[in-house]
Amino acid sequence: AEIRSASIAVVAGAERSILAMRAHGERSIQLLTSPLVDHDSPTLDSAGQPLRYLAVYDSRLLELDDALQTLRRRQASGEDVRIAEDVPFSAIVVDGLQAVVDLTNIEPSGAGSVSLWDSPLITGIGNLVERLHARSLPLPAVDLDVDGELYSQRDQTILTLLAAGASDAKIGR
């Protein structure tokens, strides 16, 4: 509960950017299984302007029912969603000034998880999220023209899921 409260407070104060990485763990599962309508609104600064929001999700989270639909809704509301294999832990970095590191995927009690303010570690975590984001697979947003052929949204999604390591059972859904 403390990690959740700290994350909510940090995000609420965001003015420029949110960088997030979500490991396969209880908190990420809770986020992606919350009601779909919870993911429809963009995250805004105090002036009502959309924030730069980069997020990387562990590919194992795609196994959850409706996870892909939830991620698409988050993408539609302005989050730049990427998929990666084996995200090591969850973290949120806000404006490069504050961070919450959530280790509940490693230690279910949350022991070792921290909130950080005014620490050089925040820059390191932010850089990690940005690099992981740059090397991860984006969810396709629109049809692409590849070698003269038009791939449907369904085809793009299947290719993205395959590349991200999703199981055949998940892709078959």
Side-chain angles (χ1 to χ4, degrees), residues 63-82:
E63 301 293 328
L64 301 169
D65 290 337
D66 296 326
L68 186 58
Q69 185 178 5
T70 299
L71 290 175
R72 289 211 180 281
R73 290 177 92 134
R74 294 181 73 85
Q75 184 179 47
S77 68
E79 190 173 305
D80 185 351
V81 175
R82 302 283 177 108

Side-chain angles (χ1 to χ4, degrees), residues 1 41 89 147:
S41 299
F89 57 89
D147 294 331

Side-chain angles (χ1 to χ4, degrees), residues 121-143:
L121 188 55
I122 295 169
T123 302
I125 295 167
N127 288 341
L128 173 63
V129 175
E130 295 227 31
R131 287 191 179 120
L132 187 58
H133 184 270
R135 295 179 180 162
S136 299
L137 296 167
L139 283 183
V142 295
D143 287 344

Side-chain angles (χ1 to χ4, degrees), residues 6-104:
S7 298
I8 290 169
V10 167
V11 169
E15 288 295 325
R16 293 186 322 269
S17 66
I18 298 173
L19 309 175
M21 58 189 224
R22 311 270 186 194
H24 184 266
E26 190 60 35
R27 293 250 317 116
S28 297
I29 292 168
Q30 289 172 355
L31 174 71
L32 293 179
T33 58
S34 63
L36 290 174
V37 70
D38 291 353
H39 306 280
D40 289 342
S41 299
T43 304
L44 307 173
D45 65 14
S46 61
Q49 297 301 308
L51 297 168
R52 174 177 179 250
Y53 199 144
L54 305 181
V56 180
Y57 292 85
D58 191 292
S59 61
R60 292 171 291 179
L61 293 167
L62 294 172
E63 301 293 328
L64 301 169
D65 290 337
D66 296 326
L68 186 58
Q69 185 178 5
T70 299
L71 290 175
R72 289 211 180 281
R73 290 177 92 134
R74 294 181 73 85
Q75 184 179 47
S77 68
E79 190 173 305
D80 185 351
V81 175
R82 302 283 177 108
I83 307 297
E85 287 190 57
D86 299 320
V87 175
F89 57 89
S90 294
I92 297 174
V93 177
V94 174
D95 299 335
L97 302 172
Q98 297 178 350
V100 176
V101 177
D102 175 359
L103 301 175
T104 55

